[in-house]
Amino acid sequence: MKLVPQPYKITKLTGFSSQNEIDLFENAPEFSEEEYELFISADRIIARASCDKGFYYAKKTMKQINLLYDKIPCVLIHDKPRFSYRGIMIDCARHMFSIPELKKMISVASDFKFNKLHWHLSDDQGFRLEIEGFPELTEKGSVRKCDEFINCKSDKEYSGYYTKKQIKEIIDFCKDNFIDVIPEFDMPGHQSALLHVFPEFTCTGGDVEVKTKQGIFKDIICAGNDEARKVLEKILDEICELFPYEYIHIGGDEVPKTNWKTCEKCQKIMAENSLSDENALQCFFINKMAEYLENKGKKCIVWNDCLKGEGLSKTLTVQQWQGTAKKTALAANGGQKIIMSHFGAYYVDYPYGMHPLSAAYSFEPRNFRGLNSDGKKNIIGVESPIWTEHINNEDRLEYMCFPRWFAVAETAWSEKQNKSFNDFYSVCGSLCEIYRKEGVNCAPESEWKKKSPLKRLTETIGFFLPKK
């Protein structure tokens, strides 16, 4: 029997079941919270678990069996996840998506046993989260003049944000699906929308526009500005009140430090704290913000760019996307928790020819070069992002994610020895067809089948060429 993600252990029994729904739920206190057992006999289907979460996953497995098999085979399934962190990320800063669409994406992800939604809500191109203490963040910071992205161009003004009521609606929906929501408030870079409202928080004090295109921009938060820190803390206070889960993501990626080099306030902080360079200053800044959140009972996630400097706190979880490979391995070996979001395997906003389905399936998170046995244990899971500089409609969002998120889900849940790309591929088409009937715009097989090197190169080059 092939399922996605493939269960920990399947024992084949004789015959087929006359039932297609679980008719008895039994408590199994010895199981971990996500572990379950599904016993399908000729006349009964019994689920065993230690809590509601385990029973939920048993129901999800039963749902897929019904979808894939006309006749329900008799089996004993004992299942539990490989990784505790199984994430997807949706970028709603560049382009927003409706609450019904987000619920659809979350619902499909939950069918494949993802348990984290990393929600990217602020960036250079827009501030999308209502903050009652600073209404101008959405009144001004959510508005950009136009779209000048490579694959998304428009002369029209783009604006919008999620109200706290809408955010709570998504949080409640995720709670029902046993998915934790992790908001990202990126800092000190990727903050043009905030700095448009508070230009005095830059090192130069000059005006900052909400950006209309993708890129890395020099205007970042001044690391030596006490007033900026106080405002960031007040924003984080509201974020913590709104999001009930353990993690807050505070970014830390793609931070150009040119202005820090000539800023008196930044250089003063460096001198007072014997910081060797501006990369160390970033670590100092991130550590301070993380300490503030930790005092409020939160754990912090940062992108691996933060490892470029010395002194990053071991209490932070690092999300690896690209670069700093040696430092990431050393950090994991030394006790730092790591989430793997490999750019070439898990960034699904790029074309299938550039980041194919096979790469999403085959990437092995614990084969990261330089990891020792302790380091491998500190890889706590995986996450697949969908960035939306090039995606401005819901059909395209779904097209790029599915079926690649099916592939990521198997790595997130299933033990390495239980995986087979050929077996996965054999049911992938059926799963896509099933979800298309439920209104999900899964990409056709012509997109995700194996392609020649020339075809892949052509698709990749074409993606980066401006569209007429």
Side-chain angles (χ1 to χ4, degrees), residues 346-359:
Y346 287 169
Y347 272 49
V348 298
D349 41 297
Y350 291 93
Y352 283 81
M354 181 177 173
H355 292 174
L357 179 67
S358 58

PDB file of all heavy atoms in Angstrom, residues 346-359:
ATOM      1  N   TYR A 346      13.338  23.180  -1.861  1.00  0.00           N
ATOM      2  CA  TYR A 346      12.095  23.505  -1.179  1.00  0.00           C
ATOM      3  C   TYR A 346      11.493  24.861  -1.535  1.00  0.00           C
ATOM      4  O   TYR A 346      10.393  25.171  -1.090  1.00  0.00           O
ATOM      5  CB  TYR A 346      12.306  23.436   0.333  1.00  0.00           C
ATOM      6  CG  TYR A 346      12.439  22.025   0.872  1.00  0.00           C
ATOM      7  CD1 TYR A 346      12.857  21.800   2.170  1.00  0.00           C
ATOM      8  CD2 TYR A 346      12.141  20.912   0.092  1.00  0.00           C
ATOM      9  CE1 TYR A 346      12.971  20.504   2.687  1.00  0.00           C
ATOM     10  CE2 TYR A 346      12.260  19.631   0.585  1.00  0.00           C
ATOM     11  CZ  TYR A 346      12.672  19.430   1.880  1.00  0.00           C
ATOM     12  OH  TYR A 346      12.788  18.150   2.373  1.00  0.00           O
ATOM     13  N   TYR A 347      12.162  25.686  -2.343  1.00  0.00           N
ATOM     14  CA  TYR A 347      11.591  26.968  -2.750  1.00  0.00           C
ATOM     15  C   TYR A 347      10.707  26.728  -3.972  1.00  0.00           C
ATOM     16  O   TYR A 347      11.189  26.631  -5.099  1.00  0.00           O
ATOM     17  CB  TYR A 347      12.696  27.977  -3.057  1.00  0.00           C
ATOM     18  CG  TYR A 347      13.154  28.759  -1.845  1.00  0.00           C
ATOM     19  CD1 TYR A 347      13.477  28.101  -0.661  1.00  0.00           C
ATOM     20  CD2 TYR A 347      13.268  30.137  -1.872  1.00  0.00           C
ATOM     21  CE1 TYR A 347      13.891  28.800   0.455  1.00  0.00           C
ATOM     22  CE2 TYR A 347      13.680  30.855  -0.762  1.00  0.00           C
ATOM     23  CZ  TYR A 347      13.988  30.175   0.405  1.00  0.00           C
ATOM     24  OH  TYR A 347      14.388  30.874   1.517  1.00  0.00           O
ATOM     25  N   VAL A 348       9.401  26.654  -3.735  1.00  0.00           N
ATOM     26  CA  VAL A 348       8.496  26.222  -4.797  1.00  0.00           C
ATOM     27  C   VAL A 348       7.933  27.376  -5.624  1.00  0.00           C
ATOM     28  O   VAL A 348       7.085  27.154  -6.492  1.00  0.00           O
ATOM     29  CB  VAL A 348       7.345  25.360  -4.222  1.00  0.00           C
ATOM     30  CG1 VAL A 348       7.885  24.110  -3.572  1.00  0.00           C
ATOM     31  CG2 VAL A 348       6.484  26.148  -3.246  1.00  0.00           C
ATOM     32  N   ASP A 349       8.408  28.602  -5.408  1.00  0.00           N
ATOM     33  CA  ASP A 349       7.978  29.708  -6.253  1.00  0.00           C
ATOM     34  C   ASP A 349       8.744  29.750  -7.572  1.00  0.00           C
ATOM     35  O   ASP A 349       8.393  30.527  -8.466  1.00  0.00           O
ATOM     36  CB  ASP A 349       8.119  31.046  -5.524  1.00  0.00           C
ATOM     37  CG  ASP A 349       9.404  31.158  -4.719  1.00  0.00           C
ATOM     38  OD1 ASP A 349       9.570  30.354  -3.781  1.00  0.00           O
ATOM     39  OD2 ASP A 349      10.231  32.039  -5.011  1.00  0.00           O
ATOM     40  N   TYR A 350       9.758  28.922  -7.719  1.00  0.00           N
ATOM     41  CA  TYR A 350      10.521  28.850  -8.958  1.00  0.00           C
ATOM     42  C   TYR A 350       9.971  27.737  -9.850  1.00  0.00           C
ATOM     43  O   TYR A 350       9.336  26.795  -9.361  1.00  0.00           O
ATOM     44  CB  TYR A 350      12.000  28.628  -8.645  1.00  0.00           C
ATOM     45  CG  TYR A 350      12.634  29.849  -8.005  1.00  0.00           C
ATOM     46  CD1 TYR A 350      12.691  29.978  -6.619  1.00  0.00           C
ATOM     47  CD2 TYR A 350      13.126  30.889  -8.785  1.00  0.00           C
ATOM     48  CE1 TYR A 350      13.227  31.114  -6.034  1.00  0.00           C
ATOM     49  CE2 TYR A 350      13.680  32.030  -8.203  1.00  0.00           C
ATOM     50  CZ  TYR A 350      13.725  32.135  -6.833  1.00  0.00           C
ATOM     51  OH  TYR A 350      14.255  33.263  -6.260  1.00  0.00           O
ATOM     52  N   PRO A 351      10.199  27.819 -11.164  1.00  0.00           N
ATOM     53  CA  PRO A 351       9.573  26.863 -12.086  1.00  0.00           C
ATOM     54  C   PRO A 351      10.006  25.429 -11.824  1.00  0.00           C
ATOM     55  O   PRO A 351      11.083  25.168 -11.288  1.00  0.00           O
ATOM     56  CB  PRO A 351      10.017  27.353 -13.465  1.00  0.00           C
ATOM     57  CG  PRO A 351      11.220  28.199 -13.218  1.00  0.00           C
ATOM     58  CD  PRO A 351      11.028  28.819 -11.871  1.00  0.00           C
ATOM     59  N   TYR A 352       9.147  24.497 -12.233  1.00  0.00           N
ATOM     60  CA  TYR A 352       9.411  23.077 -12.026  1.00  0.00           C
ATOM     61  C   TYR A 352      10.695  22.636 -12.731  1.00  0.00           C
ATOM     62  O   TYR A 352      11.369  21.709 -12.276  1.00  0.00           O
ATOM     63  CB  TYR A 352       8.228  22.237 -12.506  1.00  0.00           C
ATOM     64  CG  TYR A 352       7.056  22.231 -11.551  1.00  0.00           C
ATOM     65  CD1 TYR A 352       6.142  23.280 -11.523  1.00  0.00           C
ATOM     66  CD2 TYR A 352       6.864  21.181 -10.668  1.00  0.00           C
ATOM     67  CE1 TYR A 352       5.059  23.281 -10.647  1.00  0.00           C
ATOM     68  CE2 TYR A 352       5.783  21.162  -9.785  1.00  0.00           C
ATOM     69  CZ  TYR A 352       4.884  22.223  -9.778  1.00  0.00           C
ATOM     70  OH  TYR A 352       3.826  22.216  -8.901  1.00  0.00           O
ATOM     71  N   GLY A 353      11.035  23.286 -13.837  1.00  0.00           N
ATOM     72  CA  GLY A 353      12.287  22.943 -14.503  1.00  0.00           C
ATOM     73  C   GLY A 353      13.508  23.336 -13.707  1.00  0.00           C
ATOM     74  O   GLY A 353      14.554  22.685 -13.784  1.00  0.00           O
ATOM     75  N   MET A 354      13.389  24.379 -12.907  1.00  0.00           N
ATOM     76  CA  MET A 354      14.506  24.850 -12.068  1.00  0.00           C
ATOM     77  C   MET A 354      14.559  24.084 -10.754  1.00  0.00           C
ATOM     78  O   MET A 354      15.640  23.665 -10.310  1.00  0.00           O
ATOM     79  CB  MET A 354      14.347  26.350 -11.825  1.00  0.00           C
ATOM     80  CG  MET A 354      15.445  26.986 -11.001  1.00  0.00           C
ATOM     81  SD  MET A 354      15.188  28.775 -10.869  1.00  0.00           S
ATOM     82  CE  MET A 354      16.471  29.219  -9.688  1.00  0.00           C
ATOM     83  N   HIS A 355      13.415  23.924 -10.107  1.00  0.00           N
ATOM     84  CA  HIS A 355      13.316  23.198  -8.839  1.00  0.00           C
ATOM     85  C   HIS A 355      12.306  22.060  -9.020  1.00  0.00           C
ATOM     86  O   HIS A 355      11.126  22.202  -8.691  1.00  0.00           O
ATOM     87  CB  HIS A 355      12.879  24.128  -7.709  1.00  0.00           C
ATOM     88  CG  HIS A 355      13.897  25.160  -7.345  1.00  0.00           C
ATOM     89  ND1 HIS A 355      13.640  26.173  -6.439  1.00  0.00           N
ATOM     90  CD2 HIS A 355      15.174  25.341  -7.735  1.00  0.00           C
ATOM     91  CE1 HIS A 355      14.720  26.933  -6.304  1.00  0.00           C
ATOM     92  NE2 HIS A 355      15.652  26.452  -7.094  1.00  0.00           N
ATOM     93  N   PRO A 356      12.759  20.929  -9.572  1.00  0.00           N
ATOM     94  CA  PRO A 356      11.827  19.860  -9.951  1.00  0.00           C
ATOM     95  C   PRO A 356      11.233  19.106  -8.767  1.00  0.00           C
ATOM     96  O   PRO A 356      11.745  19.165  -7.643  1.00  0.00           O
ATOM     97  CB  PRO A 356      12.693  18.934 -10.808  1.00  0.00           C
ATOM     98  CG  PRO A 356      14.098  19.191 -10.371  1.00  0.00           C
ATOM     99  CD  PRO A 356      14.146  20.635  -9.972  1.00  0.00           C
ATOM    100  N   LEU A 357      10.157  18.390  -9.066  1.00  0.00           N
ATOM    101  CA  LEU A 357       9.498  17.565  -8.066  1.00  0.00           C
ATOM    102  C   LEU A 357      10.464  16.556  -7.468  1.00  0.00           C
ATOM    103  O   LEU A 357      10.447  16.298  -6.255  1.00  0.00           O
ATOM    104  CB  LEU A 357       8.305  16.840  -8.707  1.00  0.00           C
ATOM    105  CG  LEU A 357       7.506  15.897  -7.807  1.00  0.00           C
ATOM    106  CD1 LEU A 357       6.782  16.669  -6.719  1.00  0.00           C
ATOM    107  CD2 LEU A 357       6.513  15.091  -8.645  1.00  0.00           C
ATOM    108  N   SER A 358      11.329  15.989  -8.293  1.00  0.00           N
ATOM    109  CA  SER A 358      12.278  14.977  -7.807  1.00  0.00           C
ATOM    110  C   SER A 358      13.233  15.568  -6.780  1.00  0.00           C
ATOM    111  O   SER A 358      13.628  14.892  -5.823  1.00  0.00           O
ATOM    112  CB  SER A 358      13.067  14.377  -8.977  1.00  0.00           C
ATOM    113  OG  SER A 358      13.757  15.391  -9.695  1.00  0.00           O
ATOM    114  N   ALA A 359      13.618  16.843  -6.953  1.00  0.00           N
ATOM    115  CA  ALA A 359      14.510  17.490  -5.977  1.00  0.00           C
ATOM    116  C   ALA A 359      13.788  17.706  -4.656  1.00  0.00           C
ATOM    117  O   ALA A 359      14.361  17.491  -3.580  1.00  0.00           O
ATOM    118  CB  ALA A 359      15.011  18.821  -6.528  1.00  0.00           C
TER     119      ALA A 359
END
